Amino acid sequence: MKYYPGQKHYLVAVDCIIFGFDGEHLKLLLIKRGFEPKKDEWSVMGGFVQPSESLDQAAARILHQLTGLSNVYLEQLQTLGDPDRDPIERTFSVVYFALIDIDKYEKQISSDYNASWVSFNNSPNLIFDHTYMVTLARKSLRYKASLHPILFELLPEKFTMRQLQNLYEDVYDTSFDKRNFSRKVLSTGLLIKQREKDKLSSKRGSFYFKLNKKEYATNFYAFIKLIPKPDDLI
Amino acid sequence: MKYYPGQKHYLVAVDCIIFGFDGEHLKLLLIKRGFEPKKDEWSVMGGFVQPSESLDQAAARILHQLTGLSNVYLEQLQTLGDPDRDPIERTFSVVYFALIDIDKYEKQISSDYNASWVSFNNSPNLIFDHTYMVTLARKSLRYKASLHPILFELLPEKFTMRQLQNLYEDVYDTSFDKRNFSRKVLSTGLLIKQREKDKLSSKRGSFYFKLNKKEYATNFYAFIKLIPKPDDLI
DNA sequence: TCAAAAGTGTTTATTCTACACCCATGG
DNA sequence: CCATGGGTGTAGAATAAACACTTTTGA
């Protein structure tokens, strides 16, 4: 037996929702499409799965193409496959989301793709069902981050408590009491306080923290409740 | 433009992990495969996605074929697509899991498929990566059920507190204090106590409860923490 | 010297946990 | 009348929430 007879074959693509954080706001890396259909319209970065690669490999390849980054936090989200979601021909899209340190990506490559970082308030219209993908990714990010410390993936190696709090506040569109927030975060044992201070954001300066990578690796899948009221997340 | 040139096309299948609960233990509905390859070996129920149907529709169709049930809790889990996962030809599999009331399924149909309910301790070897799918589904069930009241989908219309507790204990492979468990469950407002008692399991009899469907529909996506220590779930 | 952000502690309310006895009934 | 499973309450511990003042320093 060489193949399954009588079955239709389809295209399979991978699309990546790429999140970044600029110290103030959560951002999305979008590209201006360079090919038909919908050339010059905004979309998320994607590509077809090649015969020799797995889905995870395809996602990593696509992410690398746009950002130059490897070994990035990448998680499969969902697969979309409505018969008419792509007007040219039926294409299944396996959606991934990626969390990257916005300072690390290759600006050169991303400008070749006409990519830019946009925030959620003023993001452009996207082709096909890409807006839905983004909504899905945002919900999933909230969900996952309410239980696991994944948001650290968005931060640079050294960051201040204020930046971390900004990140959580922006992801959840809320605000936290800084005393309670800092106490809760520190109680996880995930942070190591540095001697060095960030002097950019205030005269007094604020201490940098680094992620305790060992603790992070060990406790990644343990629930860590940083969000007080995780209702209505999905 | 009629199609995307130069891209390989693939098969896309949907596989359903079907959970049931017999009052004591969580079970899985498996079938003995009726076609090659791997004829007569155990697998989960699946099928290829047809040109006109969406993924959700394909999953519902496949579930209906085996159980006769419609309007069942069905959730997309993940998509597997390693190049060699199917020895015949490259096939992507979108994995769903279903939660059904074990009393409602059509025994006739399921016996046509050589299906049987197995518990996790003595489940047979499965073809391809189906064992992995089941593991994935079990983890996902724990994860989801730690936050949302989905396990009610597995129970008949009327059930006792003991049955509910058995279900949670079996899903999480642990045991709960019955006083704390019952208090916590009742505090959700999801249950309506019936006048009628179940007299099968004890001389005194125990009250039946029904799900408060209105409350359930409204609060489905609110977090409801029934599990005290949801660590190490994934 | 003052504006701006950093840093820190305590009290109260809520939630969680551990734990043991009486009840109702069919055989 | 007794064995079996059903049903219930409380006290102590842990966790979460609310809340405000002092420090530092560059301009």
Side-chain angles (χ1 to χ4, degrees):
Chain A
M1 187 163 165
K2 287 283 181 359
Y3 61 94
Y4 292 104
Q7 295 299 335
K8 188 96 169 58
H9 291 63
Y10 309 97
L11 286 176
V12 179
V14 163
D15 286 298
C16 288
I17 316 296
I18 304 170
F19 289 105
F21 177 65
D22 65 2
E24 288 281 321
H25 294 291
L26 190 66
K27 304 266 185 156
L28 209 55
L29 190 59
L30 297 177
I31 65 173
K32 211 172 226 172
R33 220 165 130 98
F35 55 94
E36 294 293 348
K38 308 268 184 183
K39 191 164 180 302
D40 292 328
E41 294 191 42
W42 290 98
S43 80
V44 303
M45 180 74 180
F48 294 108
V49 177
Q50 298 308 120
S52 62
E53 64 188 2
S54 70
L55 286 166
D56 286 358
Q57 282 163 357
R61 169 177 59 78
I62 286 160
L63 188 75
H64 182 80
Q65 273 173 28
L66 180 60
T67 63
L69 297 173
S70 304
N71 289 113
V72 159
Y73 185 89
L74 203 48
E75 183 174 338
Q76 191 189 306
L77 248 187
Q78 238 207 300
T79 300
L80 305 181
D82 279 4
D84 303 317
R85 60 173 292 279
D86 186 310
I88 304 298
E89 66 173 298
R90 184 164 191 181
T91 304
F92 290 87
S93 168
V94 185
V95 185
Y96 278 75
F97 76 90
L99 305 178
I100 73 173
D101 172 357
I102 205 168
D103 298 332
K104 285 217 191 97
Y105 83 111
E106 296 261 356
K107 292 184 178 65
Q108 179 53 49
I109 302 176
S110 79
S111 82
D112 293 347
Y113 279 95
N114 279 306
S116 29
W117 288 101
V118 304
S119 45
F120 288 87
N121 330 342
N122 55 358
S123 79
N125 286 330
L126 302 177
I127 64 163
F128 304 165
D129 47 10
H130 288 202
T131 304
Y132 176 71
M133 291 181 190
V134 168
T135 308
L136 207 64
R138 186 118 201 266
K139 281 181 180 168
S140 178
L141 182 66
R142 286 186 174 193
Y143 198 94
K144 192 84 190 246
S146 75
L147 303 168
H148 306 293
I150 59 172
L151 295 184
F152 291 106
E153 304 283 346
L154 290 162
L155 292 166
E157 200 180 3
K158 294 182 302 189
F159 50 87
T160 64
M161 188 61 77
R162 163 56 48 125
Q163 287 166 341
L164 182 61
Q165 186 172 343
N166 281 345
L167 175 53
Y168 272 87
E169 291 185 345
D170 205 54
V171 167
Y172 292 100
D173 196 20
T174 183
S175 61
F176 301 110
D177 180 280
K178 67 176 173 172
R179 290 161 290 190
N180 292 339
F181 182 83
S182 130
R183 179 167 348 108
K184 199 179 272 193
V185 167
L186 291 174
S187 78
T188 65
L190 284 173
L191 296 192
I192 303 168
K193 192 174 194 170
Q194 306 302 112
R195 303 209 163 168
E196 195 187 349
K197 281 185 165 186
D198 164 58
K199 304 285 288 178
L200 298 171
S201 61
S202 74
K203 293 159 186 170
R204 183 176 172 183
S206 57
F207 284 106
Y208 280 121
F209 291 85
K210 281 189 182 177
L211 187 60
N212 182 338
K213 291 205 172 132
K214 192 164 178 172
E215 191 71 13
Y216 181 67
T218 328
N219 286 342
F220 186 75
Y221 285 115
F223 278 52
I224 288 177
K225 209 175 135 225
L226 287 170
I227 303 308
K229 290 175 186 168
D231 289 2
D232 312 317
L233 285 194
I234 271 202
Chain B
M1 189 163 164
K2 288 282 181 357
Y3 60 94
Y4 292 104
Q7 294 300 334
K8 189 94 170 51
H9 291 62
Y10 307 98
L11 286 175
V12 178
V14 163
D15 286 298
C16 287
I17 316 297
I18 304 169
F19 289 105
F21 177 66
D22 65 2
E24 287 280 322
H25 294 291
L26 190 67
K27 303 266 184 159
L28 209 54
L29 190 60
L30 296 176
I31 65 173
K32 212 170 226 172
R33 219 164 131 99
F35 54 94
E36 292 294 349
K38 308 266 184 187
K39 191 164 181 300
D40 293 328
E41 293 191 43
W42 289 97
S43 80
V44 303
M45 180 75 180
F48 294 107
V49 177
Q50 299 308 120
S52 62
E53 65 188 1
S54 70
L55 286 166
D56 286 359
Q57 282 163 358
R61 168 177 60 77
I62 286 160
L63 188 75
H64 183 81
Q65 273 172 29
L66 180 59
T67 63
L69 296 173
S70 305
N71 289 114
V72 159
Y73 184 89
L74 202 49
E75 183 174 340
Q76 190 188 307
L77 248 188
Q78 240 207 297
T79 300
L80 305 181
D82 278 4
D84 303 317
R85 59 173 293 279
D86 186 309
I88 303 298
E89 66 173 299
R90 184 164 192 181
T91 304
F92 290 87
S93 168
V94 185
V95 185
Y96 278 74
F97 75 90
L99 305 179
I100 73 174
D101 173 358
I102 206 167
D103 297 333
K104 285 219 191 95
Y105 83 109
E106 296 262 357
K107 292 185 177 63
Q108 179 53 50
I109 302 176
S110 80
S111 81
D112 293 347
Y113 278 95
N114 279 306
S116 27
W117 288 101
V118 304
S119 44
F120 289 86
N121 331 341
N122 55 359
S123 78
N125 285 330
L126 302 177
I127 64 162
F128 305 164
D129 46 10
H130 288 201
T131 304
Y132 176 70
M133 291 181 189
V134 168
T135 308
L136 208 62
R138 185 117 202 267
K139 281 181 180 169
S140 178
L141 181 66
R142 287 186 173 193
Y143 199 94
K144 191 84 190 246
S146 75
L147 302 169
H148 306 293
I150 59 172
L151 296 184
F152 291 107
E153 304 283 345
L154 291 162
L155 292 165
E157 201 181 2
K158 293 182 303 188
F159 51 87
T160 64
M161 189 60 77
R162 164 54 50 128
Q163 287 166 340
L164 182 61
Q165 186 172 343
N166 281 345
L167 174 53
Y168 272 87
E169 290 185 344
D170 205 54
V171 167
Y172 292 100
D173 196 20
T174 184
S175 60
F176 301 111
D177 179 281
K178 65 176 173 174
R179 289 161 291 190
N180 293 339
F181 182 83
S182 130
R183 177 164 351 109
K184 199 179 271 194
V185 167
L186 291 174
S187 78
T188 64
L190 285 172
L191 296 191
I192 303 169
K193 192 175 192 167
Q194 304 303 112
R195 301 207 164 172
E196 194 187 350
K197 281 185 166 187
D198 164 59
K199 305 285 289 178
L200 298 171
S201 60
S202 74
K203 293 159 185 170
R204 182 176 174 183
S206 56
F207 284 106
Y208 280 121
F209 291 86
K210 282 189 182 177
L211 188 59
N212 181 339
K213 293 206 171 133
K214 192 166 176 172
E215 191 71 14
Y216 181 68
T218 327
N219 286 343
F220 185 75
Y221 285 115
F223 278 52
I224 288 177
K225 210 176 133 224
L226 287 169
I227 303 309
K229 290 176 186 168
D231 289 1
D232 312 317
L233 286 193
I234 273 202

